[in-house]
């Protein structure tokens, strides 16, 4: 596996392309598994003091996106085409969320990944997500009709 972007370049990309959410995330590790952190703040909480489902979904989505970028380089137009998330337990209050991301397939036009989300320092996941991304063709290159 060859990496095209490290943690610093991934964070710089997010800051440049998505400044509205860049402060919410940081990359802890890039390798076979990508580890990305959501810096949980009051704005991420729902009534009852737990991190909201949409914020956990955002962490999973950003995590897979960054895992794809770490392998392909800055492909700003890669988009989510399918997503499923299971919320398994309430996140611990007052802790960041940590997503551990694995790419299961990285093809020319599609990428598929799995994410486990944890409350920082805990061993049991709070959520699990599976996502598929569409990767735009390189300019001047037509996707092969047989690949999915």
């Amino acid at each position: 596996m060859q990496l095209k972007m490290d943690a610093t370049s991934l964070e710089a990309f997010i800051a440049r392309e998505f400044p509205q959410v860049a402060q919410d995330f940081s990359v802890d590790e890039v390798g076979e598994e990508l580890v990305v952190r959501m810096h949980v703040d009051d704005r991420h909480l729902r009534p009852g003091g737990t991190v909201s489902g949409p914020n956990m979904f955002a962490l999973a989505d950003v995590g897979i996106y960054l895992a794809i970028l770490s392998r392909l380089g800055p492909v700003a137009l890669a988009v989510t085409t399918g997503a499923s998330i299971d919320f398994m337990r309430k996140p611990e209050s007052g802790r960041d969320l940590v997503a551990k991301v694995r790419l299961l397939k990285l093809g020319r036009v599609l990428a598929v990944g799995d994410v486990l989300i944890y409350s920082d320092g805990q061993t049991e996941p709070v959520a699990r997500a599976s996502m598929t991304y569409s990767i735009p063709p390189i300019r001047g290159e037509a996707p092969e009709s047989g690949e999915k």
Side-chain angles (χ1 to χ4, degrees):
M1 167 208 56
Q2 181 182 0
L3 294 175
K4 302 243 176 137
M5 297 179 81
D6 62 11
T8 302
S9 59
L10 289 169
E11 288 176 355
F13 177 85
I14 291 296
R16 183 176 62 251
E17 298 296 330
F18 301 98
Q20 65 275 25
V21 297
Q23 75 283 355
D24 290 345
F25 304 100
S26 61
V27 179
D28 289 358
E29 185 179 321
V30 180
E32 273 303 312
E33 181 177 76
L34 182 129
V35 180
V36 63
R37 175 180 303 271
M38 173 181 267
H39 305 285
V40 175
D41 198 354
D42 287 343
R43 71 182 175 279
H44 300 114
L45 304 180
R46 58 171 292 226
T50 188
V51 178
S52 72
N55 281 297
M56 285 190 273
F57 180 91
L59 175 58
D61 199 32
V62 167
I64 296 226
Y65 185 63
L66 292 176
I68 293 167
L69 295 181
S70 75
R71 307 273 179 88
L72 297 181
V75 182
L77 298 179
V79 294
T80 310
T81 59
S84 173
I85 189 165
D86 298 305
F87 301 105
M88 301 186 293
R89 58 188 49 84
K90 180 179 175 180
E92 297 274 334
S93 62
R95 294 179 185 254
D96 287 349
L97 290 181
V98 176
K100 296 182 179 182
V101 182
R102 287 182 321 125
L103 289 180
L104 304 176
K105 174 191 174 164
L106 183 58
R108 287 172 38 121
V109 296
L110 288 179
V112 178
D114 273 344
V115 181
L116 288 173
I117 299 174
Y118 299 84
S119 287
D120 191 26
Q122 301 300 304
T123 59
E124 296 294 321
V126 298
R128 182 199 65 82
S130 174
M131 297 189 175
T132 302
Y133 262 76
S134 175
I135 301 166
I138 298 169
R139 286 188 185 262
E141 178 182 293
E144 294 178 19
S145 60
E147 183 176 353
K148 301 211 185 265

